[in-house]
Amino acid sequence: MTGRLNSAQPYALGLFRIIVGLLFACHGAASLFGVLGGAMGGGTVPAGTWPGWYAAVIQLVGGTLVTLGLGTRAAAFIASGSMAYAYFKVHQPEALWPLQNGGEPSAMFCWAMLLLVFTGSGALGLDRLFTARGESAERPAASASAGEREPAAA
């Protein structure tokens, strides 16, 4: 059973990444465009306001990149930091525990994104597609140059 679970790990991680990224992007879209209920029960965050508008841009762009699995580690790192900032500057001064201060989403997104910094995109991500293409294009060039060297040495 452990072998089957281990072989499915990249796919489970890929699905985790897609869901977390999509939910994160939805928060940004709600704040920037007023969709899905809008920011704080309706409306949008005024453009350029600190820190709400910048957080919403990070959520939308970072969440989209994480969902696609494109630049996952960098996008997740920035997203995790923005959620840590949100928790400690906005929520934590209200009360100690996330359940008391309304900071549960910030804390969960912070730790979920931090996990993706260390694990990468898993399966089903564009990172893997581009890495695989780069490696396959690199192999023939390396074998051709190695083949050219062998006759000269003989």
Side-chain angles (χ1 to χ4, degrees), residues 4-109:
R4 284 187 185 171
L5 290 174
N6 287 344
S7 66
Q9 184 176 1
Y11 298 101
L13 183 58
L15 290 173
F16 174 80
R17 172 189 48 79
I18 290 167
I19 297 301
V20 168
L22 184 62
L23 292 173
F24 199 64
C26 286
H27 277 276
S31 296
L32 291 173
F33 307 121
V35 298
L36 305 170
M40 296 175 273
T44 61
V45 175
T49 57
W50 177 259
W53 185 82
Y54 294 94
V57 170
I58 290 171
Q59 290 167 355
L60 181 62
V61 174
T64 301
L65 289 172
V66 167
T67 300
L68 296 173
L70 186 60
T72 302
R73 290 177 192 258
F77 181 75
I78 293 168
S80 178
S82 75
M83 289 297 97
Y85 178 87
Y87 181 76
F88 286 111
K89 286 299 263 188
V90 177
H91 299 287
Q92 200 277 326
E94 299 296 319
L96 179 63
W97 294 101
L99 185 62
Q100 296 172 317
N101 63 29
E104 289 172 285
S106 296
M108 288 296 294
F109 277 124

